[in-house]
Amino acid sequence: MPGLELDYKTSTLKNGVRVISARLESTAAVTALILVGTGSHYEKRELGGVSHFLEHLVFKGSKKYPNALKISTILDGLGAQYNAFTDDEITGFYIKTVKDKTEVALDVMSDFLKNPLFKTEEIERERGVILEELRMYYDTPKRHVLDLFKEVLYGDQQAGAKIGGTEKTVSNIMPKDIKDYFKKQYGGGNIVAVFAGNISHEEARKMAEKYIGDIPEGKPYKKPPVKDLNYGKKILIQNKKTDQTHIVVGSKAFGLVDERRYALDLLATILGGGMSSRLFHEVRERRGLAYYVHAGADLGTDFGYFLARAGVANEKAPEAIKVVIEEFKKIAENPPAKTEVEKAKNHIEGSTLLEIEASHAVAHELGVSEILLKKIITPIEYIKKIKEINAQDIVEVAGDIFKDGNIHLALIGPHENDAEFEGLLRV
């Protein structure tokens, strides 16, 4: 795609920090994103949620900026956008600001990543905040049902655990646990620093060297491999009085290194990637069963899954599940038409190109690729891979994942047991 290739460069500091810059001359903004190669999959079961807890705590004060108000006052004074996130295998921190304020922003971010105070009183105060966050998610069935789906897929291992932990694990995390985890995981060799915007690589590397070049390289924990536990349970229900049943039905897939990932993304787009998708048409437009319905895939280094999700009237849950499974079966047996495949390709291309109009999206795409795959696959290279896929590739990947024994169901609603759903998961 001539003219659309990203102008990016990479280098590595002496302490192992990988620096990536992407030059975007059309924007006045620069996003500085620091990714750490750690997340919920790296935690001990009894310390579930420690990655997320730590992500909160670094904003509560550092050696140079000793409290949360000091940090937020400076960043708000820059007009910056800033936040953090924790995922299965990554913890990330970003600040997006105008170019001439980038160094100030990085000074703040680097200090709370190098020298967090982890004051006991702040830990206890933030523990309460996180417990309320967990309760909020638990009280949001549309979101919480995704946690149940991961649990029914992966069982009693960290791949099946909630990223934020549970009330029990978060309540039992001690200050020493947090400090030990930080010391072990936040080393230079486990960090990727990405700068996207109107900035040269020389400028980016110079700032990275100045502000995070002194982080010890470290020797982080290696995460235990995700096991494919075929332990028999295929349905997980949370019986709850709700006005709507939230369902997630799907299957285990494969990791990011698998070349089938591109066909899987097209499969997800065809089934549930827009208002003209098969599931949207069948579940919402034709039958009026749901307001929201869509499909997608989530892949990591050694795990992956495909899912379809919807919110339906309680009494219509079995019918909705049956319709979704029928669509799985159809596409696993019959290749989609060439026009449908082309539409899906155009949908992915358009949405990808629109997304990378923003510096924070570019930073995220490049950084996640580097930290998970140890190489960069740019959005443009991703589109090229998508365009190489044909209808037969799609039907084959559908056949690989949509098969008896690999279909799982999670739902939240006023349903007592598995009996009314057990016969629905066959393809």
Side-chain angles (χ1 to χ4, degrees), residues 356-406:
I356 61 172
E357 291 278 315
S359 63
H360 64 274
V362 172
H364 184 269
E365 290 299 317
L366 298 183
V368 168
S369 180
E370 171 61 33
I371 207 159
L372 292 183
L373 296 174
K374 303 296 189 291
K375 65 178 181 180
I376 291 176
I377 298 175
T378 69
I380 307 306
E381 291 167 336
Y382 168 72
I383 290 171
K384 289 178 180 177
K385 290 281 191 179
I386 288 290
K387 288 190 172 184
E388 293 171 0
I389 301 300
N390 59 43
Q392 189 59 35
D393 297 326
I394 295 169
V395 77
E396 285 178 4
V397 79
D400 289 342
I401 65 172
F402 298 148
K403 53 191 177 185
D404 287 340
N406 196 38

Side-chain angles (χ1 to χ4, degrees), residues 35 71 92 130 136 159 217 220 240 287 290 333 362-363:
L35 298 175
I71 291 171
I130 292 170
M136 176 184 71
E217 185 168 0
K240 187 173 186 177
R287 303 169 193 267
E333 294 176 349
V362 172

Side-chain angles (χ1 to χ4, degrees), residues 53-96:
F53 206 151
L54 197 159
E55 173 228 305
H56 275 236
L57 286 172
V58 298
F59 285 93
K60 301 306 170 184
S62 64
K63 185 177 180 181
K64 189 173 181 180
Y65 305 99
N67 56 62
L69 183 59
K70 184 71 172 178
I71 291 171
S72 60
T73 297
I74 292 173
L75 296 180
D76 288 345
L78 301 179
Q81 298 173 7
Y82 56 98
N83 212 330
F85 62 90
T86 306
D87 210 333
D88 304 296
E89 301 178 278
I90 300 173
T91 306
F93 307 85
Y94 70 88
I95 299 176
K96 181 178 182 179

